[in-house]
Amino acid sequence: VFLARNGKTDPVSAPRSARDRVRQELTREILEVARAQLARDGAAALSLRSIARELEMSPSALYRYFSSRDDLLSALILEAYGSLADCAEEAAAAARRLGGVGAWPAVSRAVRAWAIAHPHEWALVFGSPVPGYEAPEATVIPYARIAAALVGPLAAGGPEGQLNTTAAGLLRPDTLAAAVQPVAEALLPGLPTAVVARALGGWAALIGIISLEVFGHWRNTVLDPGSLFDQVMADQARALGLSGEAG
Amino acid sequence: VFLARNGKTDPVSAPRSARDRVRQELTREILEVARAQLARDGAAALSLRSIARELEMSPSALYRYFSSRDDLLSALILEAYGSLADCAEEAAAAARRLGGVGAWPAVSRAVRAWAIAHPHEWALVFGSPVPGYEAPEATVIPYARIAAALVGPLAAGGPEGQLNTTAAGLLRPDTLAAAVQPVAEALLPGLPTAVVARALGGWAALIGIISLEVFGHWRNTVLDPGSLFDQVMADQARALGLSGEAG
DNA sequence: TGTACATCAGTGAACGCGCGTTCACTGATGTAC
DNA sequence: TGTACATCAGTGAACGCGCGTTCACTGATGTAC
């Protein structure tokens, strides 16, 4: 997918020559400018020519670093995924250290804060797909990291082992189990299907409430999105049995 | 916003002359072709020139009907909102006639079906905003119609008056009440803040789960989105106290 | 250490694309007397 | 019913835009002997 960034050497290995060092630095600079443009104007407006202009080099020079516009965009998308995943994992780790209130509210708030700080990147990750462009396969990994940061604590049975495992109201249990099998296996092994479904519901609510806010759908409707967010996420956590109070 | 479509007359009134009739028909035809292109390639690819090509007329001729590309796009957006609102209301009405299971599952399934049938329109309504383009104010009305179709039954206290009105676990009740005040007033008058928050949570879950599916985020993860959808929406209805079984 | 060659970075001009929009125009349709 | 004028629909050429990408090139950096 990417043009080899370091000639024939391992892309992560230390640069051997001065030339390699300069190349790495310029690559970083290009990505930085591109990221800034993406944050300012969105993915659709990302243009190699304008990046070249900002870097005061010719447009064709960029082709030494990225083989096409799509290639550059892929790099940016991966960065966005990675940045969001880092952010979610940090929040999860902090919540683990502090104990108490649990990871769900902490991680969800961190994700929301990231989205508000990076609306165009959020759109790139969870918004409408860019037509004619296919996201790189490698996004699977950071995507899973985000979900795991949010939902991982469930695997431990919740803060005080009070996870809600009741399966009351399960429509078509077998079909549902098959439907969510990959998630159950990868993220929540050993937990009942009902929990997996509730976790996915919470995931959908998280993505939905953030998207509604970031994409401007609360205008004149929800005056304080933060309060509503906290409440809705607390409700979700309670449904899962993750709240501090008795479920 | 729109170019006057009927000269000086009331835009909805019957056409007076043959010229007016032809004009109305061509306007309709333009919108039809544009809608088809939108459905096929998405909003970004919508082009006056290609519409003109398909209609075998000159690009400039379209300016007799729409004052700009944005004007045409606005018309399409309004149509999309209206179509989705119609669909939601029909499902709500059918559920009312049939009684029993309640409007929530019926309406949410109808909305999902519409989204799957019109993914690009869904993206236009709930996806990332088109940069540099502002949606017309008039979308407020169909937007409210959709929400009302889903959430309206709550105002009646649920199918058997078993609406869950417990306010346990309300963080910062006063702040929250102020935050959601416009929704409470317009959509759910007289109901406790806790219910309003839960309803908005359900709304977010609905939009989120549909967007995740339509935008391709379930790939290799949720094998049968329909089953998961039904389950998650049933959980939401139960949280609200709308299920057939005891809450 | 010095020379000969290979590799690579960056340039500048050019190609071709499709777009939205404007404008002066022709010819048809409608209207007033 | 017929004529004179106004309104409107649609044309075709043109403008200017910015884009991604290619290509032959120059000059600098690295490498092998």
Side-chain angles (χ1 to χ4, degrees):
Chain A
V1 185
F2 287 9
L3 203 66
R5 300 250 183 82
N6 281 299
K8 284 112 208 145
T9 58
D10 178 350
V12 198
S13 74
R16 292 166 317 164
S17 60
R19 206 186 242 172
D20 276 0
R21 224 168 311 135
V22 168
R23 163 172 266 274
Q24 275 200 356
E25 190 161 329
L26 230 182
T27 305
R28 228 180 22 81
E29 249 179 286
I30 293 169
L31 281 170
E32 228 162 76
V33 170
R35 199 186 315 122
Q37 290 201 359
L38 172 65
R40 200 179 334 115
D41 306 317
L46 186 74
S47 131
L48 292 183
R49 293 191 101 102
S50 82
I51 293 167
R53 244 175 276 133
E54 197 164 328
L55 288 168
E56 291 184 310
M57 55 197 302
S58 68
S60 44
L62 293 179
Y63 283 80
R64 295 271 167 207
Y65 299 87
F66 296 91
S67 64
S68 67
R69 197 198 97 115
D70 275 6
D71 190 40
L72 174 57
L73 188 55
S74 290
L76 291 174
I77 290 186
L78 272 180
E79 277 200 354
Y81 270 93
S83 156
L84 176 54
D86 289 348
C87 165
E89 281 179 352
E90 270 166 41
R96 251 196 315 277
R97 275 198 307 278
L98 293 171
V101 70
W104 188 282
V107 175
S108 63
R109 290 175 97 151
V111 172
R112 170 169 177 260
W114 187 92
I116 290 171
H118 308 88
H120 283 118
E121 282 94 334
W122 178 265
L124 215 48
V125 173
F126 289 109
S128 8
V130 183
Y133 170 81
E134 194 136 357
E137 267 305 313
T139 55
V140 176
I141 293 157
Y143 193 95
R145 285 171 56 208
I146 304 165
L150 187 72
V151 134
L154 296 184
E160 279 127 45
Q162 62 201 184
L163 189 65
N164 172 12
T165 55
T166 59
L170 257 202
L171 332 159
R172 298 181 293 167
D174 296 348
T175 314
L176 186 63
V180 302
Q181 187 265 333
V183 183
E185 196 171 335
L187 230 54
L188 300 165
L191 290 182
T193 301
V195 174
V196 178
R198 277 192 283 266
L200 283 164
W203 173 251
L206 174 67
I207 305 306
I209 197 169
I210 293 177
S211 288
L212 284 168
E213 175 176 359
V214 169
F215 297 162
H217 284 282
W218 282 164
R219 202 166 304 145
N220 303 326
T221 294
V222 172
L223 305 178
D224 176 359
S227 301
L228 176 65
F229 181 87
D230 287 346
Q231 180 61 44
V232 169
M233 286 299 115
D235 282 346
Q236 291 292 336
R238 195 170 313 108
L240 282 158
L242 288 179
S243 83
E245 333 160 34
Chain B
V1 185
F2 288 9
L3 203 65
R5 300 250 183 81
N6 282 299
K8 284 113 207 145
T9 58
D10 179 353
V12 199
S13 73
R16 293 167 314 166
S17 59
R19 207 185 240 170
D20 276 359
R21 223 168 312 134
V22 168
R23 165 173 264 274
Q24 274 199 357
E25 190 161 328
L26 230 182
T27 305
R28 228 179 24 80
E29 249 180 286
I30 293 170
L31 280 170
E32 228 163 75
V33 169
R35 198 187 316 121
Q37 289 201 0
L38 172 66
R40 198 180 334 117
D41 306 316
L46 186 75
S47 131
L48 291 184
R49 292 190 102 101
S50 81
I51 293 167
R53 245 176 276 133
E54 198 164 326
L55 288 168
E56 292 185 304
M57 55 197 301
S58 69
S60 45
L62 294 179
Y63 284 80
R64 295 270 169 207
Y65 298 88
F66 296 91
S67 65
S68 69
R69 197 198 97 114
D70 276 6
D71 189 38
L72 174 57
L73 189 55
S74 290
L76 291 173
I77 291 186
L78 272 180
E79 277 200 353
Y81 269 93
S83 155
L84 177 53
D86 289 347
C87 164
E89 282 179 353
E90 269 164 41
R96 248 196 317 277
R97 275 197 306 277
L98 293 171
V101 70
W104 188 282
V107 175
S108 64
R109 290 174 97 153
V111 172
R112 171 170 176 260
W114 187 92
I116 291 172
H118 309 89
H120 283 119
E121 282 93 336
W122 178 264
L124 214 48
V125 172
F126 289 109
S128 8
V130 183
Y133 170 80
E134 194 136 356
E137 268 304 313
T139 55
V140 176
I141 293 158
Y143 193 96
R145 284 171 57 207
I146 304 165
L150 187 73
V151 135
L154 296 184
E160 279 127 45
Q162 63 202 184
L163 190 67
N164 172 13
T165 55
T166 59
L170 257 202
L171 332 158
R172 299 181 291 166
D174 295 348
T175 314
L176 186 62
V180 301
Q181 187 266 331
V183 183
E185 196 169 338
L187 230 52
L188 301 165
L191 290 180
T193 301
V195 173
V196 178
R198 277 192 283 267
L200 282 164
W203 173 251
L206 174 67
I207 304 305
I209 198 169
I210 293 177
S211 289
L212 284 168
E213 176 177 358
V214 168
F215 297 162
H217 285 282
W218 281 164
R219 202 169 301 148
N220 304 325
T221 295
V222 172
L223 305 180
D224 176 359
S227 301
L228 176 64
F229 181 86
D230 288 346
Q231 181 62 43
V232 169
M233 286 298 115
D235 281 347
Q236 291 293 336
R238 195 171 313 105
L240 282 159
L242 289 179
S243 83
E245 335 158 33

Tab-separated table of all heavy atoms in Angstrom, chain A residues 231 235 238, chain B residues 163-170 192-195 198 239:
chain	number	residue	atom	x	y	z
A	231	GLN	N	-25.152	11.161	31.109
A	231	GLN	CA	-26.323	10.429	31.574
A	231	GLN	C	-26.556	9.173	30.737
A	231	GLN	O	-26.778	8.079	31.263
A	231	GLN	CB	-27.558	11.344	31.520
A	231	GLN	CG	-28.837	10.698	31.990
A	231	GLN	CD	-28.731	10.271	33.444
A	231	GLN	OE1	-28.224	11.006	34.289
A	231	GLN	NE2	-29.200	9.066	33.751
A	235	ASP	N	-26.406	5.306	31.895
A	235	ASP	CA	-27.502	4.356	31.692
A	235	ASP	C	-26.995	3.074	31.025
A	235	ASP	O	-27.372	1.966	31.405
A	235	ASP	CB	-28.595	4.987	30.810
A	235	ASP	CG	-29.494	5.953	31.585
A	235	ASP	OD1	-29.449	5.931	32.825
A	235	ASP	OD2	-30.239	6.719	30.947
A	238	ARG	N	-25.086	1.038	33.421
A	238	ARG	CA	-25.985	0.398	34.379
A	238	ARG	C	-26.657	-0.814	33.743
A	238	ARG	O	-26.767	-1.880	34.374
A	238	ARG	CB	-27.042	1.393	34.883
A	238	ARG	CG	-27.760	0.880	36.136
A	238	ARG	CD	-28.620	1.942	36.794
A	238	ARG	NE	-27.894	3.181	36.933
A	238	ARG	CZ	-28.140	4.270	36.199
A	238	ARG	NH1	-29.113	4.269	35.312
A	238	ARG	NH2	-27.414	5.349	36.381
B	163	LEU	N	-44.647	2.772	31.261
B	163	LEU	CA	-43.430	3.528	31.012
B	163	LEU	C	-42.545	3.577	32.255
B	163	LEU	O	-43.017	3.782	33.364
B	163	LEU	CB	-43.810	4.959	30.613
B	163	LEU	CG	-42.693	5.830	30.083
B	163	LEU	CD1	-42.201	5.305	28.758
B	163	LEU	CD2	-43.180	7.254	29.950
B	164	ASN	N	-41.269	3.344	32.020
B	164	ASN	CA	-40.318	3.370	33.126
B	164	ASN	C	-39.965	4.818	33.477
B	164	ASN	O	-39.245	5.486	32.758
B	164	ASN	CB	-39.057	2.599	32.729
B	164	ASN	CG	-37.954	2.744	33.742
B	164	ASN	OD1	-38.171	3.217	34.855
B	164	ASN	ND2	-36.766	2.325	33.358
B	165	THR	N	-40.489	5.282	34.591
B	165	THR	CA	-40.258	6.678	34.950
B	165	THR	C	-39.309	6.828	36.135
B	165	THR	O	-39.150	7.916	36.669
B	165	THR	CB	-41.588	7.381	35.313
B	165	THR	OG1	-42.224	6.632	36.345
B	165	THR	CG2	-42.493	7.469	34.108
B	166	THR	N	-38.681	5.747	36.535
B	166	THR	CA	-37.746	5.842	37.659
B	166	THR	C	-36.591	6.757	37.301
B	166	THR	O	-36.086	6.741	36.189
B	166	THR	CB	-37.172	4.470	38.031
B	166	THR	OG1	-36.500	3.949	36.876
B	166	THR	CG2	-38.255	3.516	38.452
B	167	ALA	N	-36.195	7.541	38.256
B	167	ALA	CA	-35.109	8.485	38.025
B	167	ALA	C	-33.851	8.046	38.757
B	167	ALA	O	-32.931	8.835	38.935
B	167	ALA	CB	-35.524	9.883	38.461
B	168	ALA	N	-33.798	6.769	39.144
B	168	ALA	CA	-32.612	6.284	39.848
B	168	ALA	C	-31.387	6.457	38.970
B	168	ALA	O	-31.429	6.230	37.763
B	168	ALA	CB	-32.798	4.815	40.222
B	169	GLY	N	-30.295	6.878	39.568
B	169	GLY	CA	-29.051	6.996	38.813
B	169	GLY	C	-28.957	8.252	37.985
B	169	GLY	O	-28.102	8.349	37.117
B	170	LEU	N	-29.833	9.204	38.224
B	170	LEU	CA	-29.742	10.473	37.496
B	170	LEU	C	-28.571	11.285	38.032
B	170	LEU	O	-28.567	11.691	39.197
B	170	LEU	CB	-31.024	11.281	37.684
B	170	LEU	CG	-32.022	11.319	36.539
B	170	LEU	CD1	-32.910	12.539	36.660
B	170	LEU	CD2	-31.323	11.304	35.198
B	192	PRO	N	-40.867	12.947	32.874
B	192	PRO	CA	-39.687	13.238	33.690
B	192	PRO	C	-38.416	13.295	32.847
B	192	PRO	O	-38.318	12.634	31.804
B	192	PRO	CB	-39.617	12.063	34.664
B	192	PRO	CG	-40.795	11.210	34.422
B	192	PRO	CD	-41.540	11.699	33.258
B	193	THR	N	-37.465	14.041	33.341
B	193	THR	CA	-36.192	14.191	32.641
B	193	THR	C	-35.528	12.853	32.375
B	193	THR	O	-34.919	12.652	31.319
B	193	THR	CB	-35.252	15.072	33.488
B	193	THR	OG1	-35.878	16.338	33.679
B	193	THR	CG2	-33.929	15.280	32.776
B	194	ALA	N	-35.651	11.939	33.317
B	194	ALA	CA	-35.011	10.634	33.137
B	194	ALA	C	-35.523	9.945	31.879
B	194	ALA	O	-34.754	9.319	31.132
B	194	ALA	CB	-35.271	9.758	34.360
B	195	VAL	N	-36.822	10.066	31.628
B	195	VAL	CA	-37.390	9.446	30.432
B	195	VAL	C	-36.862	10.125	29.166
B	195	VAL	O	-36.509	9.465	28.187
B	195	VAL	CB	-38.937	9.526	30.466
B	195	VAL	CG1	-39.523	9.042	29.155
B	195	VAL	CG2	-39.482	8.725	31.630
B	198	ARG	N	-33.443	8.900	28.535
B	198	ARG	CA	-33.431	7.529	28.009
B	198	ARG	C	-33.900	7.500	26.565
B	198	ARG	O	-33.373	6.742	25.742
B	198	ARG	CB	-34.303	6.629	28.882
B	198	ARG	CG	-33.564	6.109	30.116
B	198	ARG	CD	-34.334	4.985	30.812
B	198	ARG	NE	-35.454	5.494	31.595
B	198	ARG	CZ	-35.388	5.799	32.889
B	198	ARG	NH1	-34.246	5.644	33.544
B	198	ARG	NH2	-36.440	6.233	33.532
B	239	ALA	N	-35.642	-0.846	28.357
B	239	ALA	CA	-35.132	0.158	29.288
B	239	ALA	C	-36.142	1.291	29.461
B	239	ALA	O	-36.261	1.875	30.528
B	239	ALA	CB	-33.791	0.704	28.791
